[in-house]
Amino acid sequence: MAKLVVVTEGLAATAFELKSERTTIGRLEDNAFQLAESSISGHHCEVLLSGEEIVVRDLNSTNGTFINDKQISQQALKPGQVLRLGQVEIRLENGASTPTAAAKKQISQTMPIQGGVKMDDLGDKTRVVESPFKKKSDKANKYFLYGGIALGVVIVAVFVYVITQLGGGQ
C-alpha cells in the first residue's frame, strides 16, 4: 500500500498510509494526516486516489504545494517523488510498514516562509529579513483628527463672530 513518509529533519519517521479515496493534509486536527508545523496551512492539500493514480491538489495554502520543487495546483504524485508543503518534505513510497502517528501539537496560525536563500546570501554575512507585516502607525490619523478639531473650532468661532456682528449692528 502507498504511504507518505515525512523526510524533513525533526519530523522524520512520521508516515501515513493512503487507505481512503481522499486524504486531507494540514496543521489542524480535523485532517486525516495532521502535520503540526507552522509553515503548513490548517488545510494545506488533499491526496486523491483515482484507480492506480495518486493526485495531489493544493487547497489554496499560504506557502504552496510543490512536487519535486515545482509548484502545483493539482498533479499526479509518483512513488519516489518529493511532495513539499511549506517547509516539510514528504516522499511517496510503496510499502506496508506501520505508520507513526503525527504529533498532536497545536499551532494557531500559518507562518509564511520567505522565498528561500540564495548561495550568495550564505557566507560570513548575517542577513536580516524584515517582516512584510509591519505594524501600521496611526500617527497620520491623529494629525487628521487634531486638524479637523482645530478647523471645527475656527468655523464655530467665525460663525459666533458673524452672528454677534449682525446682532450688534441693528
Side-chain angles (χ1 to χ4, degrees), residues 31-169:
N31 289 286
F33 187 18
Q34 181 193 12
L35 291 169
E37 208 284 323
S38 62
S39 67
I40 295 179
S41 293
H43 297 102
H44 199 99
C45 70
E46 63 185 356
V47 178
L48 307 168
L49 297 180
S50 178
E52 293 296 316
E53 190 173 57
I54 298 172
V55 177
V56 178
R57 182 184 312 158
D58 184 73
L59 298 175
N60 297 318
S61 61
T62 301
N63 292 318
T65 300
F66 299 78
I67 293 180
N68 288 348
D69 290 325
K70 178 185 169 208
Q71 188 165 11
I72 58 108
S73 58
Q74 180 172 324
Q75 184 175 318
L77 180 65
K78 295 177 178 33
Q81 287 187 319
V82 175
L83 172 66
R84 182 167 52 86
L85 312 176
Q87 294 179 330
V88 177
E89 290 187 340
I90 304 167
R91 185 176 51 244
L92 177 63
E93 294 182 357
N94 287 332
S97 64
T98 307
T100 305
K104 294 292 180 185
K105 183 172 84 171
Q106 276 290 80
I107 298 173
S108 62
Q109 65 188 56
T110 303
M111 179 186 75
I113 55 177
Q114 299 299 321
V117 178
K118 297 178 183 132
M119 291 303 287
D120 295 335
D121 294 338
L122 299 175
D124 295 338
K125 298 186 271 183
T126 302
R127 181 175 169 220
V128 177
V129 178
E130 289 187 32
S131 171
F133 306 104
K134 293 183 181 181
K135 184 177 178 182
K136 292 183 179 179
S137 170
D138 62 345
K139 208 179 226 184
N141 291 341
K142 286 181 183 178
Y143 290 136
F144 184 74
L145 178 65
Y146 296 148
I149 291 171
L151 183 62
V153 169
V154 169
I155 290 172
V156 169
V158 168
F159 182 71
V160 169
Y161 176 76
V162 168
I163 295 295
T164 56
Q165 291 299 318
L166 290 175

